């Protein structure tokens, strides 16, 4: 290899290492700041150090009251990702939390003498490979797990029964259940693998998929169902595609989607709104969360800016339908409040665009540097990549997250009484009004000073003109008097 090429490789490796060190330093500093503000940000937070990083976390919907109704026991699923493949497993665990979480009171304050950090592992299923994705059935009885060997395992959580679904030739990350119109209909689910294929399965027919979709030309990153017939998918081929299960197919294979959208960046995730069937969000390697209306899918009607790295997961909060939650490789979980969509906001990429006047450019740049008004809350408790987060399906405002830092965090954001929220909003509005008034005052003072300077300059000019006029008249008088003297002589 030529020496010049070797030097270029060494230089590139050095730059990458320096960038990683800088990013780690920034993450550690942000974590220190977050740690100081924990009492202000959370009603409750528990952090557990796991033996191995977990790739998934998923709440079970059922819970039970314990300790004379002073505490509540919740259960969740974890997946152990060990260097030693023999130690990989799917685990059912539990912990106790304050009973006020499910009561009508706002803050979750543990009762005296109640252990609210009791973490226990209840059941363990051995796995031959790491679990990439997990989806729990709507009733919470079955857990689908897509593993690194391409096999989908269906775990019956009330027994030791495990059913395998074998079709994909490679591992996968995309799973979703098909919504049933009636309880009598057989349960179905979709899977998408790195082999660029999507398979439709019937739960009671594990031998082979009932339908295949081969329209993508890259790894399937995520799948989301809108209703019983429509689903969307995103892929490494930089497309977002939508299929209708009612569309006629050739045999058991569908090759053409009903809608296909080309993206500038690869999208890692897609999620339909649980109540608005035409509203969906995507996010990916552009660090941006994009909101779309399926009736006008060619352009997002709003982009959400806040992540500093690729976004890898999206979830809608069923308890707050206007809230969208996202997590990315920047070790943060962000909450977006779509009630603030109508507020004025300039996208960062357009904030520095060339404008006709300096004043307009300055105003746009200042606005672009402001945080997105839809950004509601940031969870920054991890110092490594977040692998998964979950929203509890039956307990409002209870969340869990796991990451490469081997941490499991269970938390509930700070809940403020309505009066305090209104007071804070009033204070913010008053501050904004004061800032506007001060800015207007500064502008007025500036204009006044400029006007006074102009007046002074005009006065100086008029004084000089008067002095010149007086001097010329005096010269004329002197000339006239000298003429008279000459005539007398």
């Amino acid at each position: 290899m030529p020496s010049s090429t070797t030097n270029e490789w060494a230089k590139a490796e050095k730059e990458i290492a320096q960038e990683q060190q800088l990013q780690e330093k920034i993450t550690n500093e942000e974590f220190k700041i977050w740690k100081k503000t924990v009492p202000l940000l959370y009603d409750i937070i528990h952090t557990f150090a796991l033996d191995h990083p977990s790739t998934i976390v998923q709440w079970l919907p059922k819970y039970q009251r314990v300790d004379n109704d002073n505490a509540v026991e919740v259960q969740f699923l974890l997946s152990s990702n060990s260097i030693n493949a023999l130690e990989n497993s799917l685990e059912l665990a539990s912990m106790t939390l304050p009973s006020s979480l499910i009561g009508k009171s706002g803050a979750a304050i543990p009762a005296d003498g109640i252990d609210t950090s009791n973490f226990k592992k209840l059941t363990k299923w051995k796995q031959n490979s790491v679990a990439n994705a997990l989806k729990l059935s709507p009733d919470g009885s079955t857990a689908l797990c897509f593993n690194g060997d391409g096999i989908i395992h269906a775990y019956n959580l009330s027994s030791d029964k495990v059913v395998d679904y074998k079709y994909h030739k490679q591992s996968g990350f995309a799973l979703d259940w098909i919504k049933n119109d009636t309880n009598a209909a057989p349960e179905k689910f979709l899977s998408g693998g790195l082999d660029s294929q999507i398979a439709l399965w019937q739960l009671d027919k594990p031998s082979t998929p009932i339908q295949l979709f081969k329209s993508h030309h890259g790894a399937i990153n995520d799948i989301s169902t809108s209703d019983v017939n429509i689903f969307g998918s995103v892929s490494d081929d930089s497309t977002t595609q939508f299929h209708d299960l009612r569309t006629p197919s050739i045999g058991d294979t569908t090759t053409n989607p009903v809608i296909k959208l080309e993206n500038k960046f690869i999208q890692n995730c897609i999620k339909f709104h649980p109540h608005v069937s035409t509203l969906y969000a995507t996010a990916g390697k552009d660090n941006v969360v994009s909101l779309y209306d399926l009736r006008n899918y060619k352009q997002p009607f709003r982009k959400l800016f806040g992540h500093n790295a690729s976004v890898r997961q999206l979830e809608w909060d069923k308890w707050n339908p206007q809230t969208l939650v996202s997590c990315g490789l920047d070790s943060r979980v962000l909450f977006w409040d779509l009630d603030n969509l109508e507020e004025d906001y300039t996208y960062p990429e357009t904030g520095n665009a060339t404008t006709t006047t300096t004043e307009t450019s300055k105003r746009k740049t200042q606005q672009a540097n402001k945080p997105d008004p839809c950004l509601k809350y940031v969870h920054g408790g991890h110092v490594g990549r977040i692998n998964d987060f979950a929203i509890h399906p039956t307990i409002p405002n209870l969340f869990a997250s796991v990451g490469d830092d081997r941490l499991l965090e269970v938390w509930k954001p700070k809940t403020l009484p309505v009066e305090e929220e209104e007071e804070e909003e009033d204070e913010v509005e008053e501050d904004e009004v004061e800032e506007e008034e001060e800015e207007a005052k500064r502008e007025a003072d500036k204009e006044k000073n400029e006007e006074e300077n102009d007046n002074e300059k005009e006065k100086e000019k008029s004084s000089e003109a008067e002095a010149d006029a007086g001097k010329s008249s005096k010269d004329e008088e002197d000339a006239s008097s000298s003429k008279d003297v000459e005539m007398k002589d």
Side-chain angles (χ1 to χ4, degrees):
M1 183 180 292
S3 59
S4 59
T5 306
T6 305
N7 293 335
E8 289 177 0
W9 274 104
K11 184 178 179 181
E13 290 177 353
K14 184 177 179 181
E15 290 177 354
I16 293 172
Q18 289 176 347
E19 185 177 350
Q20 290 177 345
Q21 290 175 359
L22 178 60
Q23 188 60 43
E24 289 177 1
K25 185 176 180 181
I26 293 173
T27 302
N28 291 332
E29 290 299 323
E30 289 179 347
F31 179 77
K32 290 178 183 178
I33 296 172
W34 170 83
K35 199 170 183 180
K36 292 178 181 179
T37 58
V38 162
L40 303 175
L41 296 175
Y42 301 89
D43 282 340
I44 186 172
I45 181 167
H46 289 300
T47 301
F48 304 94
L50 305 175
D51 295 332
H52 305 287
S54 178
T55 55
I56 57 175
V57 60
Q58 179 65 59
W59 293 107
L60 268 62
K62 295 181 180 179
Y63 60 85
Q64 61 179 350
R65 293 178 180 271
V66 294
D67 293 331
N68 298 321
D69 289 344
N70 289 320
V72 58
E73 184 181 75
V74 293
Q75 296 183 351
F76 47 90
L77 292 167
L78 299 171
S79 176
S80 177
N81 180 18
S82 172
I83 298 176
N84 183 1
L86 297 177
E87 296 181 6
N88 290 330
S89 62
L90 180 68
E91 300 170 348
L92 175 63
S94 70
M95 65 178 298
T96 53
L97 296 171
S99 59
S100 54
L101 278 173
I102 57 176
K104 296 183 178 180
S105 59
I109 302 174
D112 293 336
I114 301 299
D115 182 9
T116 59
S117 60
N118 183 17
F119 175 77
K120 295 183 294 185
K121 293 183 180 180
L122 306 176
T123 308
K124 179 184 289 188
W125 295 271
K126 288 289 185 181
Q127 294 187 321
N128 296 326
S129 59
V130 64
N132 294 329
L134 185 140
K135 289 289 182 179
L136 200 64
S137 61
D139 62 359
S141 62
T142 304
L144 294 175
C145 191
F146 205 158
N147 282 49
D149 54 9
I151 300 175
I152 301 168
H153 306 285
Y155 296 91
N156 188 326
L157 300 181
S158 59
S159 67
D160 293 332
K161 184 180 179 181
V162 182
V163 179
D164 292 344
Y165 299 78
K166 299 179 180 180
Y167 170 76
H168 293 284
K169 302 298 186 292
Q170 300 180 46
S171 64
F173 293 84
L175 278 175
D176 203 12
W177 291 88
I178 298 290
K179 299 175 182 177
N180 284 335
D181 289 336
T182 61
N183 294 330
E187 290 184 295
K188 300 176 183 179
F189 67 90
L190 290 159
S191 63
L194 301 183
D195 54 7
S196 75
Q197 297 188 38
I198 298 174
L200 174 64
W201 301 84
Q202 191 165 305
L203 193 63
D204 57 359
K205 296 180 179 180
S207 59
T208 183
I210 59 177
Q211 192 171 352
L212 298 174
F213 303 87
K214 300 182 178 181
S215 55
H216 280 291
H217 302 287
I220 309 299
N221 294 328
D222 199 11
I223 295 173
S224 179
T225 57
S226 171
D227 54 32
V228 68
N229 295 310
I230 306 295
F231 75 88
S233 58
V234 290
S235 166
D236 276 354
D237 61 8
S238 297
T239 65
T240 302
Q241 299 184 13
F242 298 91
H243 285 273
D244 190 335
L245 299 181
R246 297 165 295 188
T247 303
S249 60
I250 301 173
D252 61 351
T253 303
T254 301
T255 56
N256 296 321
V258 293
I259 295 176
K260 182 177 180 180
L261 176 65
E262 297 284 346
N263 302 308
K264 291 183 180 179
F265 298 89
I266 292 175
Q267 299 298 292
N268 296 326
C269 43
I270 181 172
K271 188 64 64 175
F272 272 100
H273 194 279
H275 306 306
V276 184
S277 60
T278 58
L279 174 61
Y280 71 95
T282 65
K285 295 188 177 181
D286 53 353
N287 309 347
V288 177
V289 178
S290 299
L291 301 175
Y292 289 87
D293 188 332
L294 193 57
R295 297 166 295 184
N296 186 17
Y297 61 87
K298 293 184 178 180
Q299 294 291 336
F301 65 85
R302 179 67 153 84
K303 293 182 179 180
L304 305 174
F305 291 84
H307 281 287
N308 300 323
S310 180
V311 185
R312 65 184 313 272
Q313 186 181 359
L314 291 171
E315 296 290 343
W316 293 95
D317 187 353
K318 65 169 289 186
W319 298 103
N320 302 289
Q322 78 284 359
T323 300
L324 177 65
V325 190
S326 61
C327 81
L329 302 184
D330 54 2
S331 308
R332 298 189 300 171
V333 180
L334 303 187
F335 289 68
W336 307 94
D337 186 358
L338 304 193
D339 283 342
N340 297 329
L341 284 176
E342 298 298 326
E343 293 191 23
D344 292 336
Y345 179 63
T346 302
Y347 292 163
E349 66 260 32
T350 60
N352 295 324
T354 304
T355 52
T356 55
T357 64
T358 305
E359 185 179 353
T360 305
S361 176
K362 184 179 179 182
R363 188 183 302 113
K364 283 195 172 185
T365 303
Q366 289 175 347
Q367 190 174 3
N369 291 333
K370 293 181 180 178
D372 194 316
C374 292
L375 183 57
K376 177 182 178 182
Y377 187 85
V378 178
H379 173 65
H382 290 274
V383 293
R385 186 185 77 169
I386 297 177
N387 294 328
D388 197 12
F389 74 87
I391 304 172
H392 202 287
T394 53
I395 300 178
N397 299 321
L398 183 61
F399 305 91
S401 56
V402 291
D404 280 348
D405 52 8
R406 297 193 301 110
L407 294 181
L408 162 66
E409 294 187 338
V410 176
W411 38 282
K412 180 180 183 292
K414 193 74 172 178
T415 304
L416 295 176
V418 177
E419 294 181 358
E420 291 186 21
E421 290 182 353
E422 291 177 352
E423 288 177 3
E424 285 193 355
E425 290 177 359
D426 293 339
E427 289 177 2
V428 171
E429 290 177 359
E430 288 176 2
D431 292 340
E432 289 178 354
V433 171
E434 289 178 2
E435 289 179 1
E436 291 177 359
E437 290 177 352
E438 289 178 0
E439 182 67 24
K441 187 178 179 182
R442 284 194 294 268
E443 291 292 335
D445 292 340
K446 184 178 179 182
E447 291 177 0
K448 185 178 179 181
N449 292 333
E450 290 177 354
E451 186 177 351
E452 289 178 355
N453 291 334
D454 292 340
N455 291 336
E456 288 179 0
K457 289 180 180 179
E458 288 179 1
K459 286 181 180 180
E460 289 177 359
K461 288 181 180 180
S462 61
S463 299
E464 291 176 358
E466 289 176 0
D468 292 341
K471 183 178 180 182
S472 61
S473 62
K474 184 178 180 181
D475 291 341
E476 289 175 359
E477 289 177 0
D478 293 342
S480 176
S481 60
S482 62
K483 188 177 181 182
D484 292 340
V485 172
E486 288 178 357
M487 288 179 67
K488 285 180 182 181
D489 293 340

